[in-house]
Amino acid sequence: MASSSARKYCANVNGCKQTAAALCEGCSQALCTKHFIDHRRLLDEEMDVIISEYNQFQNTFNKETTNFDSHPLIQQINEWEKESIVKIQQKAQELRQDLLEQTSINLKELSKKLQHLSEQLKEGREHDSFVETDLCDWKKSLDDLKANLTSPSTFRISQDDGIPLVQNVFVHSIETNEVFEQVFNNNVRIEENGLVAIHDAIIAYTEIRGKTEYTSGINSKSTPLQNLSYSSTSTYGWASNNFLWLNGQPHLDTSTYYIEMKINDVISLIFDCDNSKILMINERTNAKFELIVNIDHCPFPWQLHVILYEANSRVRILSN
Ligand SMILES: [Zn+2]
Ligand SMILES: [Zn+2]
């Protein structure tokens, strides 16, 4: 038996006076037999909660994978399909109508020519005054009429290379794993595993960079801002004092909307690498801004780049 001075007492929070008999490897608590059993039972209960949550999720997951039709975007695709079919059917109906009208005009003209030929033939026979050249001319007129009636060359269907009748759409995945990774100096710190960047109490420009490198597709991020500005030789973007930044140079924006980012504003940024442009939408004002990026000045990969200026300003990356 251990001497009393070496004895360890049960670590139960309610002040158990019993000698500790077992050590939990998980939380390093030494407990008496009774409280050790209680401790294991509590852990079992927590385990049960996790298993039950897992089972619920597994059910949802199975439904999701077997019932693909319930995918939230299916509805959108179905609507696109329906509207596109209606547009195509309407267009086909218009084309049939056009063809009918033009054919009937053509048939009227042919009918006139036929009538004219018939009169010539009748006259020729009655007067018995035709010669070889007349026969030759009539034969040619008749051949032309025949060809005109049967040949499809009278009409043709041509492609219109203008605006497509049906808007082409595509499915793409949206990156949601952007986080802040690099800071320029100690004036800014990154918290919450890269989701938040916080400026200290000093008023000064400082730079924060995102982790993800964008080279293709369309990448979208939502970010609420307190204050933001952009500057760097390859920078394209917007500043909250109504300036555009192109190739690192500020330009006063003269578009309809005033560029502003206020406290608690939610800003969506879309990097459309495929079309070399970036878009910004302020979800509060619904103002939408678009910039074409010169790839010579700002080659891929692109990176999220935020500059904070105001003291204690912060910016958070929201998941979609
Ligand atoms: Zn434990
Ligand atoms: Zn105890």
Side-chain angles (χ1 to χ4, degrees), residues 10 12 16 18 31-32 34-35:
C10 174
N12 180 272
C16 173
Q18 297 299 310
L31 296 160
C32 71
K34 176 182 176 295
H35 285 129

Side-chain angles (χ1 to χ4, degrees), residues 104-118:
S104 63
I105 292 169
N106 186 51
L107 286 176
K108 261 184 212 158
E109 275 170 22
L110 284 185
S111 167
K112 259 190 229 160
K113 285 179 188 166
L114 203 61
Q115 184 64 36
H116 182 62
L117 180 62
S118 149

Side-chain angles (χ1 to χ4, degrees), residues 110-290:
L110 284 185
S111 167
K112 259 190 229 160
K113 285 179 188 166
L114 203 61
Q115 184 64 36
H116 182 62
L117 180 62
S118 149
E119 280 159 14
Q120 283 180 316
L121 291 175
K122 209 171 140 196
E123 207 179 289
R125 170 123 298 169
E126 274 173 13
H127 297 261
D128 201 17
S129 58
F130 56 88
V131 292
E132 283 82 349
T133 48
D134 293 323
L135 289 175
C136 192
D137 285 349
W138 294 331
K139 174 86 172 76
K140 191 177 176 304
S141 294
L142 193 58
D143 285 347
D144 283 352
L145 285 171
K146 275 193 210 164
N148 230 318
L149 185 66
T150 52
S151 162
S153 67
T154 318
F155 302 107
R156 216 166 261 155
I157 298 211
S158 298
Q159 290 277 353
D160 179 2
D161 294 329
I163 301 161
L165 178 64
V166 171
Q167 201 61 46
N168 195 12
V169 294
F170 54 94
V171 174
H172 60 90
S173 64
I174 296 172
E175 295 269 356
T176 54
N177 55 353
E178 179 68 288
V179 286
F180 294 122
E181 190 179 54
Q182 306 163 57
V183 294
F184 173 65
N185 58 18
N186 290 335
N187 288 342
V188 65
R189 63 181 192 278
I190 292 173
E191 288 190 1
E192 298 184 33
N193 297 318
L195 291 180
V196 182
I198 302 168
H199 199 298
D200 64 9
I202 296 166
I203 297 177
Y205 289 110
T206 188
E207 177 185 340
I208 313 119
R209 293 269 182 98
K211 185 180 181 183
T212 310
E213 295 183 343
Y214 301 99
T215 52
S216 67
I218 296 176
N219 304 282
S220 168
K221 287 287 161 290
S222 290
T223 317
L225 304 169
Q226 174 168 1
N227 209 316
L228 177 152
S229 84
Y230 277 70
S231 98
S232 160
T233 50
S234 65
T235 292
Y236 285 79
W238 301 269
S240 55
N241 53 2
N242 203 33
F243 275 88
L244 293 173
W245 288 77
L246 305 171
N247 185 28
Q249 299 294 319
H251 298 264
L252 190 63
D253 183 44
T254 52
S255 68
T256 339
Y257 295 113
Y258 188 88
I259 304 170
E260 55 172 12
M261 293 164 227
K262 292 184 170 174
I263 293 173
N264 292 329
D265 274 3
V266 173
I267 306 294
S268 287
L269 285 179
I270 298 169
F271 300 164
D272 186 351
C273 300
D274 295 347
N275 296 304
S276 302
K277 63 184 181 187
I278 55 173
L279 293 102
M280 176 179 80
I281 302 155
N282 184 320
E283 295 186 7
R284 173 179 56 87
T285 61
N286 232 351
K288 188 176 172 184
F289 305 91
E290 189 178 308

Side-chain angles (χ1 to χ4, degrees), residues 23-29 31 36 39-40 43:
L23 180 74
C24 173
E25 286 290 340
C27 63
S28 305
Q29 284 190 98
L31 296 160
F36 185 76
H39 185 61
R40 288 305 310 173
L43 293 186

